């Protein structure tokens, strides 16, 4: 069965405005204007490569729709939804709250189209129209909590889709795997006390948000044991990430036996990314995806649904996303990673002892998952 693909030009119209990377332009602070690092360019280039490579022909296009208020309110407070709408309605837009999460004019509806796009994709997977899928959405979602936005995220797209799957699609047990290089703090917080949703985040330790994503954050109350974190030291590459998959992610998924696996597909752990210091190549993303596709095949009829999150190198992220999507679709475009020779020397380091130790600390907690 085919792979679904959600995309819409409006995702590129989420306007992150002018700032020098992260911070608003400020002559007195020496910050010149420029494109915000979360601008649409990388996302556009991912879609263009999916098209230009021919892969698009093998995918089933699924038209996104806006998430309904009922769907949003399963996750977010009405105050939060109203706040994003108010910011979005202002002439020139506003900010979601932390000073580097711009809300462009009209972004409220685009964020609803992101959450609704993934929700629609999960619905089509549940109905058996497609086996799995990828929603190339903007803005991202995994830092957004029930009542506040941060880290470029407005609504928690994955959480909205997860709650919909539970409430409407007869999929009670959901596993969320987050491979964005930043901690999936919002998703973790939303499900922290909930044993029906297992959250697993692999991220660079102490990257973003500050002081978030420690191994000891392991769930609370009835959800104790159902939040897993694998904070990896800066400089972790291919071998470290695959070791984390084998020691933590796959055993946790096998124990949990989900009805659906959602993937927060950030590509900002790539070796060229400006917002972090990990060393993954397109081939790492390919191999991690293969493992997740296999897990979904044995656990939940292949139901693996990904939402795009971060990824900030405009020329390398598209190749990482293409490798991921080829593997999800079980096909190949025969386009080699054009940067493979460049990174072969410096991204090929073995698993280092301090990385092994960090992964072992997380692996100790896997048997709390039932
Ligand atoms: N700010 C994301 O890729 C977003 O996860 C990443 C947002 C990074 C914000 C930049 C940052 C700091 C750091 C330290 C202290 C204060 C602020 F959501 C995604 F887009 F997916 O490092
Ligand atoms: Zn990120």
């Amino acid at each position: 069965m085919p792979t679904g693909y959600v995309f819409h030009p409006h995702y590129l119209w989420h306007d992150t405005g002018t700032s020098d990377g992260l911070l608003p332009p400020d002559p007195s602070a020496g910050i010149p204007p420029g494109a915000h690092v979360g601008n649409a360019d990388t996302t556009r280039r991912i879609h263009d490569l999916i098209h230009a490579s021919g892969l698009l022909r093998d995918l089933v296009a699924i038209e996104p729709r806006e998430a309904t208020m009922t769907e949003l309110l399963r996750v977010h407070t009405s105050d939060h939804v109203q706040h994003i709408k108010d910011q979005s309605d202002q002439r020139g837009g506003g900010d979601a709250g932390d000073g580097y999460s711009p809300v462009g004019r009209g972004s409220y509806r685009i964020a609803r189209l992101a959450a609704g796009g993934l929700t629609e994709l999960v619905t089509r997977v549940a109905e058996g129209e497609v086996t799995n899928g990828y929603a190339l959405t903007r803005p991202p979602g995994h830092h957004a909590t029930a009542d506040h936005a941060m880290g470029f995220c407005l609504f928690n797209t994955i959480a909205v889709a997860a709650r919909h799957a539970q409430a409407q699609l007869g999929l009670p047990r959901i596993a969320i795997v987050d491979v964005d290089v930043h901690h999936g703090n919002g998703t973790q917080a939303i499900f922290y006390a909930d044993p029906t949703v297992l959250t697993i985040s692999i991220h660079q330790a102490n990257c973003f948000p500050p002081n978030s994503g420690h191994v000891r954050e392991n769930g609370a109350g009835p959800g104790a044991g159902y939040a897993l974190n694998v904070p990896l030291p800066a400089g972790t590459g291919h071998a470290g990430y695959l070791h984390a998959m084998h020691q933590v992610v796959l055993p946790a998924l096998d124990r949990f036996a989900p009805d659906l696996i959602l993937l927060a597909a950030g590509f900002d752990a790539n070796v060229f990314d400006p917002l972090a210091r990990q060393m993954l190549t397109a081939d790492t993303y390919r191999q991690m995806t293969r493992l997740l596709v296999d897990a979904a095949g044995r656990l939940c009829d292949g139901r693996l649904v990904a939402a795009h999150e971060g990824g900030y190198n405009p020329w390398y992220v598209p190749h990482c996303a293409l490798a991921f999507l080829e593997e999800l679709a079980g096909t190949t475009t025969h386009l080699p990673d054009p940067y493979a020779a460049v990174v072969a020397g410096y991204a090929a380091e073995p698993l280092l002892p301090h990385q092994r130790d960090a992964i072992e600390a997380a692996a100790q907690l896997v048997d709390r998952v039932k």
Side-chain angles (χ1 to χ4, degrees):
M1 255 200 309
T3 291
Y5 177 59
V6 173
F7 181 73
H8 195 284
H10 287 174
Y11 293 147
L12 305 178
W13 297 5
H14 164 55
D15 182 4
T16 48
T18 314
S19 72
D20 184 48
L22 285 174
L23 300 169
D26 181 351
S28 60
I31 304 174
H36 184 277
V37 70
N39 69 73
D41 187 46
T42 302
T43 311
R44 177 184 297 109
R45 292 170 66 120
I46 295 171
H47 177 73
D48 284 354
L49 186 60
I50 291 167
H51 188 175
S53 67
L55 184 56
L56 193 58
R57 280 195 300 273
D58 294 341
L59 306 173
V60 173
I62 289 171
E63 197 64 26
R65 59 172 176 79
E66 288 180 25
T68 65
M69 199 54 79
T70 304
E71 289 166 347
L72 286 179
L73 294 177
R74 288 193 189 108
V75 168
H76 293 290
T77 63
S78 52
D79 279 358
H80 176 65
V81 174
Q82 188 63 41
H83 175 68
I84 299 302
K85 182 173 187 310
D86 290 346
Q87 293 292 304
S88 160
D89 284 346
Q90 292 180 80
R91 188 182 172 89
D95 188 274
D98 63 0
Y100 31 72
S101 301
V103 183
R105 178 105 188 207
S107 285
Y108 167 69
R109 295 193 52 180
I110 304 175
R112 282 181 65 159
L113 193 68
L118 186 70
T119 301
E120 188 62 25
L121 178 57
V122 166
T123 304
R124 304 295 187 91
V125 166
E127 289 170 349
E129 183 183 333
V130 290
T131 306
N132 58 24
Y134 177 40
L136 181 53
T137 44
R138 268 180 90 249
H142 72 150
H143 298 307
T145 66
D147 61 359
H148 71 269
M150 62 183 285
F152 317 163
C153 302
L154 307 184
F155 299 135
N156 196 307
T157 294
I158 281 209
V160 171
R163 286 297 188 218
H164 176 76
Q166 292 184 313
Q168 296 293 320
L169 304 175
L171 300 171
R173 292 172 73 77
I174 316 280
I176 301 176
V177 178
D178 188 327
V179 300
D180 187 279
V181 80
H182 304 101
H183 178 227
N185 64 296
T187 317
Q188 172 177 293
I190 288 162
F191 300 114
Y192 207 58
D194 186 342
T196 67
V197 180
L198 171 68
T199 62
I200 311 173
S201 179
I202 311 181
H203 45 270
Q204 181 179 316
N206 302 314
C207 189
F208 182 84
N211 201 26
S212 182
H214 299 284
V215 178
R216 64 174 179 272
E217 297 169 20
N218 192 212
Y226 292 86
L228 286 170
N229 284 291
V230 193
L232 295 171
T236 302
H238 182 89
Y241 270 74
L242 286 177
H243 193 64
M245 291 295 296
H246 285 292
Q247 297 302 308
V248 182
V249 178
L250 299 175
L253 289 176
D254 282 332
R255 293 180 65 89
F256 186 69
D259 299 304
L260 168 70
I261 301 173
L262 295 173
L263 175 65
F267 297 97
D268 41 11
N270 81 79
V271 63
F272 294 117
D273 205 89
L275 284 197
R277 279 296 170 270
Q278 303 300 50
M279 301 183 72
L280 304 194
T281 68
D283 187 54
T284 318
Y285 286 104
R286 184 183 301 281
Q287 292 194 32
M288 289 199 298
T289 308
R290 167 80 56 86
L291 295 171
L292 291 172
V293 167
D294 288 350
R298 70 178 174 267
L299 295 169
C300 49
D301 294 329
R303 289 188 289 269
L304 171 62
V305 181
H308 187 71
E309 298 282 358
Y312 304 97
N313 183 301
W315 33 276
Y316 198 48
V317 167
H319 295 283
C320 295
L322 186 71
F324 149 75
L325 189 51
E326 286 180 9
E327 213 52 52
L328 193 66
T331 184
T332 175
T333 63
H334 301 287
L335 269 188
D337 172 3
Y339 299 98
V342 179
V343 301
Y346 60 91
E349 86 295 353
L351 178 66
L352 299 175
H354 66 306
Q355 299 165 357
R356 183 188 295 277
D357 291 349
I359 292 162
E360 181 54 31
Q364 295 288 326
L365 299 172
V366 167
D367 64 9
R368 301 190 75 193
V369 176
K370 302 270 191 285

